[in-house]
Amino acid sequence: MLGIRSDQLGLFEGDHLYRDFVGPETFYGFLACQRGQLFRDEEFAALYVLDNGRPSVPPSLLATALILQTYDRVSDEDAKERADYDLRWKVALGIGLDERPFAKSTLQLFRAQLVLHEGVRAVFQKSLTFARRTGYLKRRKIKVALDTSNILGRGAVKDTYNLLADGIVKLGRVLAELAGEKPEAWAAAHDLARYYGTSSLKGEADPPRRARARQTFLRDIVADADRPPRRMARQTLLAYEAQSAEHHKVTEAAELLGQLLLQDIERTPEGASIKEGVSRDRVVSVHDPEMRHGRKSKAKRFDGHKAAVAVDPESQLITAATVLAGNAPDKEQAVELVEQTQENAQVEVDEAMGDCAYGDGATRQEFADAGRKLVAKVPDRPNSGQIPKEDFRIELETKTCICPLGQACQTLEPIGGRTNRNGESEERLGFKFDPEVCAACPLRASCVKAGPGKGRTVSLHPQEALLQEARAFQRSEAFGPYRQARQAAEHRLARLMQLGMRQARYFGRAKTLYQLLIAARLGGLI
């Protein structure tokens, strides 16, 4: 049953006796001063039975403990000990010196409920309501800056040999549990014992460096994955209903092992071998299958997820946040972040700002279709060694392209196909200049790459009008303030990294989103 504590300070509680000693200007003193305002027990009523059972630990106290845990960057065990013995925590929580307010399992269960029922998002929204009430969010119409940063995943990243071994172990544990056997005994009975009791199958086996021997080693692992585990998984599924928890556990583990085989193994008449290159959307960890290979630049790679945020430049508050796949483009869910900002902060967003990762034509079209304005630098083109397309003047109304020397072309025709980011084929149009005109041009050597008898071709982007408008704006003086305002997102991301967001504390994107929203909530308080 929902436990509720009074907003009134008790004579023997830490926030009454020792708040001045700890210091009202400290973060712990600030939390003590905001008792009953930051979190109210009634706001968590959906997580509890209201008319049955013993009163719970007040959820407002547990929510404050989660904020303190993020601020001090401590484990669940350390959070319990600090709540039991640390004077600063007792002041912040508003409890007596002799109180032991919660067990570690209570804190873990409360966090699990927040993740399961998206309660942490409600907590995040309440924080923006608090910010408006206290004067941080002053305007009803704001701009937001968008940006992303990488989060290193919690799961262990392994090579193909050990990744397949982990997949075999995971499926084997599920099958052993359903059979009522210990995993090691089940594995021994099915000739899979070598996969258990080791953190690195490849390291334990120490296969010879000769290519043929390593190939044999790999084929043995693939054969082990194909025979007992996957065959038995199919048989086990027949014993359970499709909606049952057992059916789901077997299906999840079997599909993961199947995906590992599909992404990394190439099957030929000669046998199995490791595929060349990296498969798209490759699973990199069995312990956290949602982790992905990611890249923030050509030189900066990572394995994990991406934190995406929207920030109000004026108040420096994070107004929306989400966790993307590590291999997702920065611009993914950009419109959704803007819409979340309006819902979370109860404001109207009149403009969104981003760096050149948000400046492509498809993203601009997505914002335009949603009736929103996006300000972002158009990505620079790679240096192709010829006069760039931007030096040509394209007049869309008259369907005319004028070259740097004033020659006009009105020959607009198909120049091939392209695949958009949704995987759909699109026909490309372009202006084709007269070969005879180009042949007589003094700039031909630096303009036309094609051989004799051909002229310059200038492609027409599907969102050409939007890109022209953006390039014209970024050349104006009015673009300068936007470049400075956009840095607010970088500053907030840097603060999140200081609060531990560079490394995920939990497995999976749902729990990592909890970590991000709590850190964003904390970042708005300090």
Side-chain angles (χ1 to χ4, degrees):
M1 189 169 69
L2 177 65
I4 298 179
R5 63 173 177 169
S6 173
D7 295 338
Q8 185 175 357
L9 302 184
L11 291 177
F12 302 104
E13 291 175 349
D15 51 351
H16 176 73
L17 293 174
Y18 297 103
R19 185 173 61 192
D20 291 338
F21 177 76
V22 169
E25 72 284 354
T26 65
F27 181 66
Y28 309 97
F30 169 78
L31 288 180
C33 293
Q34 301 302 322
R35 176 173 167 178
Q37 298 184 51
L38 283 177
F39 304 111
R40 300 193 63 83
D41 296 310
E42 296 83 358
E43 296 170 352
F44 301 92
L47 306 180
Y48 295 85
V49 176
L50 301 181
D51 58 357
N52 190 23
R54 293 180 301 173
S56 67
V57 176
S60 60
L61 186 149
L62 293 173
T64 305
L66 292 176
I67 292 292
L68 288 167
Q69 181 185 30
T70 302
Y71 180 75
D72 284 346
R73 299 177 64 176
V74 296
S75 66
D76 292 338
E77 182 65 36
D78 288 338
K80 173 188 165 28
E81 290 187 2
R82 295 199 180 198
D84 289 348
Y85 306 113
D86 192 309
L87 180 61
R88 296 171 302 175
W89 277 54
K90 289 185 178 295
V91 169
L93 295 173
I95 59 177
L97 292 185
D98 59 345
E99 282 191 56
R100 307 292 184 264
F102 52 80
K104 182 177 74 169
S105 59
T106 303
L107 189 67
Q108 293 171 335
L109 180 60
F110 180 69
R111 180 171 56 237
Q113 292 287 346
L114 289 179
V115 173
L116 182 63
H117 298 285
E118 294 191 348
V120 69
R121 193 176 293 279
V123 170
F124 178 71
Q125 292 173 341
K126 295 292 184 183
S127 71
L128 294 175
T129 302
F130 174 77
R132 177 168 297 286
R133 190 169 65 244
T134 54
Y136 280 96
L137 275 174
K138 300 177 181 178
R139 300 184 180 180
R140 287 292 180 180
K141 183 178 289 188
I142 66 171
K143 298 177 173 60
V144 293
L146 307 173
D147 207 350
T148 66
S149 187
N150 60 290
I151 303 173
L152 303 178
R154 181 74 172 174
V157 178
K158 300 183 179 181
D159 60 16
T160 298
Y161 300 93
N162 289 312
L163 201 61
L164 289 174
D166 285 351
I168 292 172
V169 170
K170 182 170 184 176
L171 179 54
R173 290 187 184 279
V174 173
L175 295 175
E177 178 187 349
L178 296 180
E181 302 178 28
K182 292 185 177 181
E184 292 77 9
W186 182 93
H190 295 88
D191 196 23
L192 298 172
R194 66 172 178 160
Y195 296 99
Y196 291 76
T198 177
S199 60
S200 174
L201 175 69
K202 183 179 175 182
E204 289 284 335
D206 191 21
R209 296 182 180 274
R210 296 190 304 275
R212 182 172 295 180
R214 296 178 72 86
Q215 195 76 4
T216 301
F217 180 64
L218 175 67
R219 289 172 182 173
D220 289 344
I221 298 175
V222 173
D224 286 339
D226 279 338
R227 56 179 184 86
R230 300 184 73 194
R231 186 179 66 248
M232 290 189 64
R234 289 192 290 269
Q235 296 172 352
T236 303
L237 287 175
L238 298 176
Y240 297 98
E241 296 183 1
Q243 304 301 323
S244 66
E246 294 84 358
H247 192 284
H248 174 73
K249 289 171 67 173
V250 175
T251 301
E252 183 181 46
E255 288 181 349
L256 176 59
L257 181 56
Q259 185 174 354
L260 297 177
L261 290 166
L262 185 64
Q263 71 182 17
D264 286 354
I265 301 302
E266 183 177 10
R267 300 176 188 266
T268 63
E270 291 76 24
S273 61
I274 296 178
K275 285 183 179 180
E276 294 185 5
V278 179
S279 299
R280 185 178 180 183
D281 206 36
R282 181 176 184 265
V283 175
V284 300
S285 173
V286 168
H287 306 95
D288 187 353
E290 292 184 324
M291 287 173 54
R292 293 293 183 269
H293 292 305
R295 183 190 293 271
K296 280 299 289 182
S297 66
K298 289 184 178 180
K300 187 175 181 180
R301 301 180 181 183
F302 66 94
D303 295 309
H305 321 282
K306 279 184 182 178
V309 299
V311 179
D312 170 29
E314 182 178 351
S315 65
Q316 297 279 305
L317 288 174
I318 296 176
T319 55
T322 192
V323 174
L324 307 176
N327 59 351
D330 289 3
K331 59 197 174 187
E332 188 170 301
Q333 296 190 31
V335 173
E336 287 85 344
L337 284 173
V338 175
E339 292 173 347
Q340 285 180 26
T341 292
Q342 294 199 158
E343 180 183 354
N344 294 339
Q346 296 298 300
V347 295
E348 179 183 349
V349 178
D350 58 357
E351 289 180 321
M353 299 169 284
D355 57 21
C356 60
Y358 300 85
D360 63 293
T363 304
R364 294 181 189 278
Q365 187 65 59
E366 188 177 356
F367 271 79
D369 292 342
R372 301 192 176 280
K373 181 178 179 180
L374 173 67
V375 179
K377 186 177 182 294
V378 179
D380 295 329
R381 292 177 178 272
N383 186 4
S384 62
Q386 63 180 158
I387 295 175
K389 170 185 172 179
E390 288 72 25
D391 289 358
F392 290 74
R393 189 170 81 252
I394 299 176
E395 298 177 355
L396 295 175
E397 292 184 358
T398 60
K399 296 183 179 179
T400 303
C401 181
I402 302 173
C403 79
L405 292 185
Q407 294 291 338
C409 173
Q410 291 183 314
T411 307
L412 183 62
E413 57 185 80
I415 58 173
R418 56 173 283 171
T419 302
N420 61 24
R421 69 182 189 181
N422 296 322
E424 302 168 342
S425 298
E426 294 180 343
E427 185 180 60
R428 295 177 62 203
L429 299 176
F431 293 95
K432 290 189 174 182
F433 282 79
D434 189 336
E436 295 183 1
V437 173
C438 290
C441 178
L443 298 180
R444 189 187 196 286
S446 59
C447 184
V448 183
K449 278 191 171 182
K454 293 186 178 180
R456 173 68 185 261
T457 298
V458 177
S459 63
L460 190 66
H461 195 280
Q463 290 85 33
E464 187 67 41
L466 292 172
L467 293 174
Q468 283 189 15
E469 180 183 359
R471 288 193 182 98
F473 181 69
Q474 72 188 40
R475 288 193 295 266
S476 68
E477 293 183 0
F479 186 69
Y482 286 92
R483 185 184 291 110
Q484 295 176 355
R486 187 183 57 78
Q487 295 176 358
E490 298 175 0
H491 296 159
R492 288 295 90 192
L493 283 171
R495 183 61 182 133
L496 290 177
M497 299 308 119
Q498 291 175 350
L499 293 171
M501 275 311 307
R502 181 63 71 207
Q503 175 67 62
R505 296 187 61 171
Y506 312 102
F507 296 112
R509 284 182 216 144
K511 291 184 178 179
T512 303
L513 176 60
Y514 155 82
Q515 181 185 352
L516 174 61
L517 290 176
I518 287 291
R521 174 72 173 96
L522 177 57
L525 297 175
I526 56 177

